[in-house]
Amino acid sequence: MDAVAGVGPATVRLAFPPEPRLLGTVRLVVGIVARKAGMGAEGIEDLKVAVSETCAVAVGDLTRAGLSDPIEIDLVEGADRFGIEVRDRAPANVPNPGDPLDGEVDDRELGLALVGALVDDLKTSTLEGGGNRTSFWLRRGPELLDPLAAGGPAGSSPDVPDDLPPPLT
C-alpha cells in the first residue's frame, strides 16, 4: 500500500506482461484487495469482471501490435469507494483480422460498455505518448461501512449465521 496513515487513499500497484494466462491472477489479486478494503461479495465480483474485461482488451491490443509493454493497474481504496485504473501502451487503431464492419462495435467499445454497466463511474482517456487509461470506481453501500447499520450485533457479519464457529485466522 502506498498511502501513509491519514494522508490519502491506499493504493496497490500491479504491472504484468500482456499474457492472457495472467488474467486469472489479476482477478484474484483484485478480489483479495477489494475484500480487505471492505467491499461486499457482489461488488467484488463486479470489480473482478470489470478489471478482467479491461485487461483482456489491453492484452489483445498489445498482442496484435506485437508489443510486450506491461499493463499497469492501480487499486485504490477510498473512504466510501474502491477504484481501479488500468493503463496500457497499445497504439490506437491496431488492425485486427476480425475487425468489425462499418457500424459494428469493436472489442474495446464492447468491453467498455460491459464495464460501464458494472461500475458507478467510468472514465477513459489516451495517455501522453500513446496508450489508454481506463479508470472506474464502485461505491461501498452503507451496510459495508457500518456493520451495525445492517442490524447485526457488534463484530458479526450480516451474511454469516450466528451458529457458525468463528473463522480460523
Side-chain angles (χ1 to χ4, degrees), residues 78-104:
D80 63 346
R81 60 189 186 159
F82 188 83
I84 297 177
E85 180 176 282
V86 179
R87 294 175 304 280
D88 67 75
R89 290 292 178 180
N93 302 323
V94 179
N96 180 5
D99 272 347
L101 302 173
D102 285 340
E104 290 183 1

Side-chain angles (χ1 to χ4, degrees), residues 3-5 10 72 87 99 103 114 163:
V4 177
E72 299 173 335
R87 294 175 304 280
D99 272 347
L114 173 63
D163 59 343

Side-chain angles (χ1 to χ4, degrees), residues 48-58 107 110-112 114-115:
K48 287 167 44 176
V49 170
V51 79
S52 291
E53 187 61 36
T54 305
C55 289
V57 169
D107 287 346
L110 182 61
L112 290 176
L114 173 63
V115 172

